[in-house]
Amino acid sequence: DHIDRTAHLPQDVRNTIARRLLQLTLQELFQHRFMQTDPNWANFLYDDEADVLTLIDFGAAREYPKEFIDKYLQLVLAAAARDTP
């Protein structure tokens, strides 16, 4: 099922799905520097019997240069540390 159809699942399962989505996003961006950029929830499938999250439809995927990712990571780290000018 599409991930937007998981609201009926127990909270701990939904929490796990959310963690996996965040991990996937961070891995795509910071490790692969290649990301599926279509925020449509229909592009994410979850099989509750197999406990598997699947990303589909890479038509809107794009690659990011290392320089951009390095600067973006600095921004994320500064925000996490509440670093302000």
Side-chain angles (χ1 to χ4, degrees):
D1 275 345
H2 294 129
I3 201 163
D4 60 348
R5 297 186 185 139
T6 60
H8 69 282
L9 297 174
Q11 186 65 53
D12 63 320
V13 174
R14 289 182 285 149
N15 290 348
T16 297
I17 293 169
R19 274 192 297 278
R20 287 181 183 163
L21 283 171
L22 181 57
Q23 289 171 339
L24 173 62
T25 300
L26 296 173
Q27 185 177 25
E28 282 182 302
L29 192 56
F30 295 116
Q31 183 178 348
H32 301 294
R33 296 193 318 263
F34 188 84
M35 184 174 221
Q36 195 273 42
T37 58
D38 183 356
N40 181 351
W41 289 118
N43 290 332
F44 299 90
L45 305 178
Y46 180 70
D47 180 342
D48 59 333
E49 290 182 19
D51 189 29
V52 172
L53 178 66
T54 305
L55 175 59
I56 60 172
D57 187 3
F58 292 90
R62 67 174 285 182
E63 187 174 4
Y64 293 91
K66 182 176 182 339
E67 298 79 27
F68 173 84
I69 297 301
D70 290 346
K71 288 180 182 179
Y72 190 76
L73 180 57
Q74 289 174 353
L75 176 69
V76 169
L77 294 173
R82 298 178 186 245
D83 186 10
T84 59

